[in-house]
């Protein structure tokens, strides 16, 4: 069974209401491959979720950029999975490297978040990836496997999980993992899933690439056998996001 191409746009902490309306307008008018070829999810900041949800075309979906690790309560500043479900937001991004690095979210904490969000009915884009120091030390796969294991230890059903491999050294730096580097890690990650979870999960789980993806490099990256799409940062705020969505055509033609 072919894995459906997946393109996520992570808007991070950017935008005013006016800017968000412009981005949504561009997306609404875009000619892109149909839903059976590509699944498109955009992730605005929390405060704009209802605005985007109510104005975005219905073949594109909306994700939150994070949610709390358990049920709501006395957790000032946090947003619970239940609240996202209540707003009819289907997806959430968890374990992004910025949260791991800046907010000290551990592998175990991210694993707990993924399990809780799934239990509430959300679909999860779970991020993994190594720093430049870790890559240069040759420990890329150890790091990525440990991050994935913390999720695998807590999750039994993978049908609503997309893994985003995001080498930290490539996020927002303009440095991109070469198509061969991306394919190598995705292939290793799939082998890890086959060995440690199941062959079926390895074959069906989408592993997407994130890290300075743009209109110029998306086709070659997307053409790699084990790259099932992208999680796009800065470029998802620009019209070239449409070109990145269209990169799904490279898989359709193979």
């Amino acid at each position: 069974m072919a894995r459906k191409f997946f393109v996520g746009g992570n808007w991070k902490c950017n935008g005013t209401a006016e800017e968000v309306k412009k981005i949504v307008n561009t997306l609404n008018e875009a000619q892109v491959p149909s839903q059976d070829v590509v699944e498109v999810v955009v992730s605005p900041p929390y405060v704009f979720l209802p605005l985007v949800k109510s104005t975005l075309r219905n073949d594109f979906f909306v994700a939150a950029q994070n949610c709390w690790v358990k049920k709501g309560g006395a957790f000032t500043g946090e947003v619970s999975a239940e609240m996202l479900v209540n707003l009819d937001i289907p997806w959430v991004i968890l374990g992004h490297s910025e949260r791991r690095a800046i907010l000290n979210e551990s592998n175990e904490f991210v694993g707990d978040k993924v399990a809780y969000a799934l239990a509430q009915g959300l679909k999860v884009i779970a991020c993994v990836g190594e720093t430049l120091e870790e890559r240069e030390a040759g420990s890329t796969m150890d790091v990525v496997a440990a991050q994935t294991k913390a999720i695998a230890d807590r999750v039994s059903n993978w049908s609503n999980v997309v893994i985003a491999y995001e080498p930290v050294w490539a996020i927002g730096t303009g440095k991109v993992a070469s198509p061969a580097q991306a394919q190598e890690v995705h292939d290793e990650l799939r082998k890890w899933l086959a060995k440690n979870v199941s062959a079926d999960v390895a074959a069906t789980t989408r592993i997407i690439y994130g890290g300075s993806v743009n209109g110029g490099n998306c086709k070659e990256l997307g053409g790699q056998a084990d790259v099932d799409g992208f999680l796009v940062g800065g470029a998802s705020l620009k019209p070239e996001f449409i070109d990145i969505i269209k990169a799904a055509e490279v898989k359709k033609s193979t």
Side-chain angles (χ1 to χ4, degrees):
M1 177 191 109
R3 296 180 295 270
K4 192 197 291 188
F5 208 77
F6 185 101
V7 178
N10 177 10
W11 299 0
K12 305 193 180 182
C13 187
N14 291 296
T16 61
E18 284 316 303
E19 287 165 348
V20 165
K21 283 175 190 166
K22 274 187 194 153
I23 298 169
V24 170
N25 232 12
T26 302
L27 293 172
N28 285 346
E29 290 169 5
Q31 298 283 318
V32 297
S34 65
Q35 262 186 296
D36 57 339
V37 175
V38 62
E39 187 166 4
V40 180
V41 175
V42 296
S43 189
Y46 283 125
V47 291
F48 299 126
L49 284 173
L51 170 61
V52 176
K53 171 86 183 155
S54 62
T55 53
L56 187 65
R57 57 197 282 179
N58 62 11
D59 58 332
F60 289 0
F61 299 96
V62 181
Q65 295 176 15
N66 178 47
C67 65
W68 183 235
V69 67
K70 51 188 160 192
K71 200 171 184 320
F75 307 106
T76 302
E78 288 296 330
V79 172
S80 71
E82 289 85 350
M83 290 170 191
L84 298 177
V85 172
N86 184 244
L87 287 180
D88 206 19
I89 302 298
W91 286 91
V92 63
I93 299 171
L94 295 173
H96 192 280
S97 64
E98 289 155 4
R99 297 199 64 87
R100 291 177 186 266
I102 303 166
L103 295 153
N104 297 321
E105 295 193 1
S106 67
N107 292 351
E108 292 68 32
F109 188 67
V110 173
D112 287 340
K113 277 188 168 185
V114 172
Y116 191 80
L118 290 170
Q120 302 315 306
L122 290 170
K123 298 176 186 180
V124 175
I125 301 165
C127 303
V128 299
E130 83 285 10
T131 63
L132 186 59
E133 296 73 30
E134 288 163 342
R135 174 163 278 269
E136 288 174 345
S139 56
T140 293
M141 213 40 230
D142 295 339
V143 171
V144 171
Q147 291 169 337
T148 309
K149 181 180 187 299
I151 295 166
D153 284 348
R154 295 158 173 80
V155 169
S156 50
N157 182 352
W158 284 74
S159 58
N160 287 328
V161 179
V162 169
I163 296 176
Y165 167 60
E166 296 201 305
V168 181
W169 47 272
I171 297 175
T173 58
K175 286 183 185 171
V176 187
S178 68
Q181 284 174 317
Q183 168 58 24
E184 181 186 20
V185 177
H186 284 228
D187 176 51
E188 288 289 332
L189 198 41
R190 214 174 285 290
K191 284 177 181 158
W192 187 92
L193 287 171
K195 187 177 169 196
N196 297 280
V197 184
S198 77
D200 184 52
V201 164
T204 56
T205 300
R206 289 172 292 182
I207 305 175
I208 62 177
Y209 170 78
S212 299
V213 177
N214 59 44
N217 60 31
C218 57
K219 281 193 175 160
E220 202 186 346
L221 282 163
Q224 303 300 308
D226 290 291
V227 175
D228 302 316
F230 308 111
L231 185 57
V232 184
S236 68
L237 300 164
K238 302 172 189 165
E240 72 182 295
F241 188 57
I242 309 303
D243 299 322
I244 298 170
I245 296 169
K246 287 179 179 168
E249 295 286 0
V250 302
K251 277 290 197 292
K252 198 178 79 165
S253 56
T254 52

